[in-house]
Amino acid sequence: MAEPQSPTAVRGGGLRNTIGGVLCAFALLLIGVLAFSIRLFSVIKYESVIHEFDPYFNYRVTQFLSKNVIYEFWNWFDDRTWYPLGRVIGGTVYPGLPLTAGTIWWFINSLNIPLSVETLCVFTAPIFSTNASWVTYLLTKELKGPGAGLMAATILAMVPSYISRSVAGSYDNEAVAIFALIFTFYLYVKTLNTGSLFYATLNALAYFYMVCSWGGYTFIINVIPMHVLLCIVTGCYSSRLYIAYAPLVVLGTLLAALVPVVGFNAVLTSEHFASFLVFIILHVVALIYYIKGLVTPRLFKVAMTFVITVGLCMLYLPKLRSTFMSRVHIINLHFKVRLMLVLAPAASILSGIALSEAFKFHCVSAAAERYSAPSIVVTSRSHEGFYTFDDFREAYAWLRHNTEVDDKVASWWDYGYQTAAMANRTVIVDNNTWNNTHIATVGIAMSSSEKAAWEIFNSLDVKYVLVVFGGFVGYPIGDDINKFPWMVRIGGGVFPHIKEADYLRDGNYRVDAHGTPTMLKCLMYKLSYYRFVETDGKGFDRVFTTHHWMVRIYKLKPQKNRVRGKLKPKLKSSSKTSSMRKVGGKKNPWQ
Amino acid sequence: MPRATTDARLLIQSLSRAYAATPTNLKIIDVYVFFALATALIQVAYMGLVGTFPFNSFLSGVLSCIGTAVLAVCLRIQVNKDNKEFKDLPQERAFADFVLCNMVLHLVIMNFLG
């Protein structure tokens, strides 16, 4: 319910305006506090810790930024992941989030406030949620008025779909990107309303910040052209529209191309073509209006028939038509579930009336119960109360303190970011999942027998293998045996000797005595159930199992130097000297 | 058809007469826009001759020309006395905005030129 604007009576209006302004500012302050505090449940319930998987990668990047200069960041080649391939981080990461947190960390530390990088990373999302609610107020005020603005800001502070991606600890791109999104739209509307080139410049710079922060920037560069097109089609063309859109396209494209991860995609990929198309359409329309203002109506009709004839001829030239048709992509077709959160600000602004008690209760309970689990710490409720399983951090800490710095750790890709960030060890595959063949290599190692797996891991210089096992505690989220079908499928997709049918008994994966021989002999099964059902490992030494058996770490046994009494050459020889001696210089392909 | 040619001639005459009546300051901006666009066309033609490498320099050059043209058109819109939407805008403010936006544009260009 939007409150009506202050009455236009001049006498009492001045004082009322001032009081209204002060109240508004105070309300905004409270909304900011609300947005911040509703996201702190996980810090209160657990501790100040970074959640899930992707945030650990962002945390590692921010750590790097805090220790090195910006040029080293742009040129950073990370050799501690995707071993032995490495990853070009400078060119494949959206730098907005780590740069933002890194700048704030640097600024606060220069004031001699000793906040750690981790603390700052945990609280970046709540801080920027506060900022997001304030710019929502600004945007809605531009559209409707201060009353609606306050309402929209409150709703945005509390809406669960936004909270889910911006709780304290959820250090991911959306934390700053949603703020950048709303801010860019606010500046666009402001430019449209005022026609000021100054706001147009600010709009382009805000768009630049959005491009730096999130791949969802393509949403802006498609929605704004659609709005411009709508304005033109409904006859609302004005010169302010030109000032709002044309500089944004040129400056925005250039600024987007400046960000390394986008680069030339800013002009070459289909997601941006809508903006160029509407840019051209806008210029044609502007020219038409200009000519209309210059000549008499009759001559204007003549001009238009001429233009339309030329246009139709061009359209029917085959070559031009094919290039035109193949480039028409108005709507961005890639919608992930997470993108629902992009609609959250719009929903908040539109539903200015929904502030009922039920809604408030729903938001707070959703924030407290459903979206505040850090997932690195698992909890369960028993009759005694809360019980936490901190096995993941136990395992990473063990790795950190009991292995050499250059030791390589192999695990399924889910744990890559966390291992790299918390255990500080080189990993083979991580959540970036950019190389399917490399993931498949790990997959077939997990699916093969111990000897074959040893060969594969040895070729990758792996020292330790990490598996997640939920059989002891009934781990609800999904351990590696739960993910095993994917290891088989992905591995089998690249290396055909792994066939999923070998692991299935009557169409099901069985891990009890009825499992298929291939299943019972494979590495993942053996490593998960070692000493659970009294199997022993030949090539792998169990070195660590966490308190609740959730994470199990195995060390690759080194090759034997000598094999006594063997004269025949062996195919899978564990001794390189004997194979080279016996088989007369046959080169082991993995060396 | 004779009627079409006379119409076309009338149209061109009318256009040139109306354009001649525009104030000088706007005509100067128009010359500037034309110059910027001509530079862009020359760059595109050159790219057609020698190829697109280095692509960032080509993009930077062409977009700087198009950018200055667009900004000059924005200035023209704001400075045009016939435009009723901007009659309250002081000309100095319009020019200052124009300079600021150009500075940002050229900073970006120089960064991207390589």
Side-chain angles (χ1 to χ4, degrees):
Chain A
M1 257 175 298
E3 292 165 26
Q5 291 275 18
S6 312
T8 49
V10 177
R11 261 199 347 257
L15 183 62
R16 201 183 282 148
N17 272 337
T18 322
I19 294 178
V22 170
L23 277 177
C24 196
F26 188 61
L28 276 175
L29 189 67
L30 286 179
I31 291 173
V33 170
L34 167 71
F36 189 81
S37 8
I38 202 175
R39 286 162 169 79
L40 296 183
F41 279 103
S42 62
V43 174
I44 298 168
K45 278 162 72 166
Y46 306 96
E47 61 180 282
S48 163
V49 72
I50 294 179
H51 297 185
E52 298 199 341
F53 303 108
D54 284 5
Y56 275 97
F57 171 71
N58 295 322
Y59 168 55
R60 201 165 148 253
V61 174
T62 318
Q63 264 184 323
F64 182 89
L65 259 178
S66 69
K67 296 192 192 110
N68 302 282
V69 258
I70 185 76
Y71 292 110
E72 289 169 16
F73 171 69
W74 292 131
N75 298 316
W76 183 17
F77 178 79
D78 186 19
D79 56 354
R80 291 180 73 77
T81 181
W82 294 92
Y83 185 86
L85 304 164
R87 176 185 169 181
V88 182
I89 297 215
T92 56
V93 79
Y94 279 98
L97 176 71
L99 280 176
T100 308
T103 312
I104 298 176
W105 175 86
W106 172 85
F107 177 68
I108 288 191
N109 269 270
S110 67
L111 294 175
N112 280 327
I113 304 171
L115 282 181
S116 70
V117 178
E118 194 200 357
T119 314
L120 213 45
C121 291
V122 166
F123 288 99
T124 298
I127 292 173
F128 275 84
S129 305
T130 308
N131 296 339
S133 61
W134 287 338
V135 289
T136 308
Y137 162 74
L138 287 173
L139 173 59
T140 318
K141 189 172 82 131
E142 271 308 301
L143 296 171
K144 193 81 170 71
L150 287 174
M151 208 65 56
T154 315
I155 292 174
L156 184 89
M158 297 191 340
V159 68
S161 63
Y162 183 32
I163 294 181
S164 70
R165 301 296 305 175
S166 60
V167 286
S170 176
Y171 183 57
D172 212 348
N173 291 337
E174 290 89 342
V176 297
I178 297 301
F179 159 72
L181 180 78
I182 307 174
F183 192 44
T184 310
F185 279 135
Y186 159 65
L187 286 170
Y188 171 69
V189 171
K190 187 88 181 171
T191 315
L192 209 46
N193 282 344
T194 58
S196 158
L197 200 53
F198 172 68
Y199 278 110
T201 317
L202 286 182
N203 188 15
L205 291 174
Y207 173 68
F208 176 51
Y209 183 54
M210 179 67 190
V211 175
C212 285
S213 306
W214 196 30
Y217 75 90
T218 48
F219 179 69
I220 298 186
I221 204 62
N222 280 291
V223 161
I224 291 187
M226 271 164 43
H227 177 257
V228 170
L229 207 56
L230 192 71
C231 283
I232 292 175
V233 161
T234 53
C236 292
Y237 172 81
S238 74
S239 44
R240 281 174 293 137
L241 187 68
Y242 183 87
I243 296 177
Y245 185 65
L248 173 69
V249 170
V250 180
L251 258 178
T253 307
L254 269 169
L255 286 165
L258 265 184
V259 183
V261 67
V262 175
F264 297 148
N265 289 339
V267 292
L268 295 176
T269 51
S270 55
E271 287 120 350
H272 301 87
F273 288 164
S275 60
F276 303 142
L277 185 68
V278 175
F279 185 69
I280 296 173
I281 293 177
L282 181 71
H283 277 87
V284 169
V285 170
L287 195 64
I288 291 174
Y289 273 93
Y290 176 66
I291 294 180
K292 191 173 181 183
L294 275 185
V295 297
T296 62
R298 194 186 73 88
L299 284 173
F300 177 65
K301 268 195 223 138
V302 171
M304 281 307 102
T305 38
F306 174 70
V307 165
I308 291 174
T309 333
V310 170
L312 283 174
C313 285
M314 280 177 57
L315 213 51
Y316 276 93
L317 266 173
K319 183 159 180 237
L320 277 168
R321 177 160 60 155
S322 61
T323 22
F324 176 71
M325 292 306 185
S326 67
R327 299 272 191 268
V328 171
H329 285 275
I330 307 280
I331 298 175
N332 191 337
L333 294 173
H334 307 288
F335 278 116
K336 299 188 286 186
V337 173
R338 267 197 278 170
L339 282 180
M340 204 159 55
L341 94 97
V342 163
L343 293 174
S348 311
I349 293 171
L350 286 176
S351 63
I353 307 180
L355 200 66
S356 65
E357 287 301 311
F359 181 68
K360 263 192 301 197
F361 175 74
H362 165 69
C363 290
V364 175
S365 71
E369 298 299 318
R370 272 185 265 151
Y371 297 130
S372 293
S375 93
I376 181 113
V377 175
V378 185
T379 61
S380 79
R381 224 172 240 151
S382 68
H383 53 89
E384 286 127 18
F386 251 155
Y387 190 77
T388 54
F389 299 87
D390 214 358
D391 287 45
F392 284 104
R393 293 197 291 175
E394 192 187 339
Y396 299 134
W398 185 92
L399 275 174
R400 198 186 186 105
H401 293 119
N402 293 288
T403 60
E404 303 292 317
V405 172
D406 283 327
D407 283 344
K408 299 5 172 208
V409 179
S411 69
W412 195 234
W413 60 260
D414 303 56
Y415 316 107
Y417 280 159
Q418 286 183 347
T419 312
M422 279 195 280
N424 193 26
R425 294 289 174 266
T426 310
V427 294
I428 307 295
V429 286
D430 69 20
N431 312 56
N432 190 237
T433 64
W434 66 271
N435 190 325
N436 192 53
T437 310
H438 218 51
I439 296 179
T441 312
V442 175
I444 58 164
M446 297 297 194
S447 323
S448 315
S449 65
E450 278 190 67
K451 254 207 175 129
W454 189 95
E455 292 287 333
I456 296 170
F457 280 142
N458 194 42
S459 76
L460 289 170
D461 293 341
V462 170
K463 202 70 172 303
Y464 295 90
V465 179
L466 183 151
V467 296
V468 171
F469 173 61
F472 189 76
V473 294
Y475 180 40
I477 294 179
D479 63 351
D480 279 356
I481 286 285
N482 193 312
K483 295 173 192 163
F484 186 65
W486 290 107
M487 302 185 195
V488 173
R489 282 170 204 157
I490 295 174
V494 180
F495 301 94
H497 67 271
I498 300 284
K499 296 183 203 35
E500 196 176 354
D502 290 341
Y503 298 84
L504 296 170
R505 172 82 67 195
D506 303 325
N508 292 319
Y509 283 88
R510 303 285 297 258
V511 290
D512 52 9
H514 293 288
T516 61
T518 332
M519 180 75 192
L520 295 176
K521 270 194 306 203
C522 80
L523 186 73
M524 177 53 66
Y525 182 86
K526 291 247 178 103
L527 295 185
S528 293
Y529 290 101
Y530 180 66
R531 287 278 166 82
F532 202 64
V533 288
E534 290 308 323
T535 49
D536 66 328
K538 286 201 175 58
F540 295 84
D541 250 342
R542 187 189 73 121
V543 287
F544 187 67
T545 299
T546 54
H547 187 217
H548 303 103
W549 285 60
M550 271 166 59
V551 185
R552 315 195 71 185
I553 301 177
Y554 291 82
K555 185 175 183 174
L556 255 75
K557 278 191 182 147
Q559 296 166 320
K560 293 207 195 80
N561 254 337
R562 239 164 30 96
V563 177
R564 287 196 316 215
K566 302 273 187 218
L567 291 173
K568 296 193 294 275
K570 291 200 308 197
L571 277 167
K572 287 195 179 63
S573 169
S574 60
S575 154
K576 74 171 163 196
T577 42
S578 79
S579 77
M580 279 179 63
R581 197 178 348 136
K582 295 305 182 244
V583 195
K586 170 183 146 184
K587 246 180 32 142
N588 187 325
W590 296 123
Q591 249 80 42
Chain B
M1 290 189 334
R3 188 146 170 260
T5 43
T6 43
D7 268 347
R9 216 178 311 134
L10 264 176
L11 173 68
I12 294 170
Q13 275 178 351
S14 168
L15 269 174
S16 51
R17 234 180 301 131
Y19 186 69
T22 56
T24 322
N25 58 344
L26 295 183
K27 279 200 211 156
I28 294 175
I29 298 178
D30 289 341
V31 171
Y32 179 64
V33 171
F34 176 72
F35 164 70
L37 289 176
T39 315
L41 278 171
I42 294 173
Q43 291 190 47
V44 172
Y46 181 69
M47 182 271 293
L49 280 176
V50 300
T52 54
F53 183 81
F55 193 56
N56 56 310
S57 309
F58 165 67
L59 262 187
S60 179
V62 170
L63 284 177
S64 90
C65 293
I66 298 182
T68 45
V70 162
L71 291 178
V73 170
C74 292
L75 178 67
R76 188 192 198 276
I77 289 172
Q78 290 184 329
V79 158
N80 194 351
K81 292 194 190 60
D82 296 332
N83 199 332
K84 285 179 264 312
E85 281 173 11
F86 291 101
K87 60 176 166 62
D88 293 327
L89 186 71
Q91 307 230 331
E92 289 79 10
R93 168 71 197 267
F95 187 69
D97 285 345
F98 169 73
V99 168
L100 174 73
C101 207
N102 262 299
M103 275 178 16
V104 172
L105 174 70
H106 285 92
L107 188 66
V108 176
I109 298 286
M110 288 195 294
N111 202 330
F112 197 50
L113 207 50

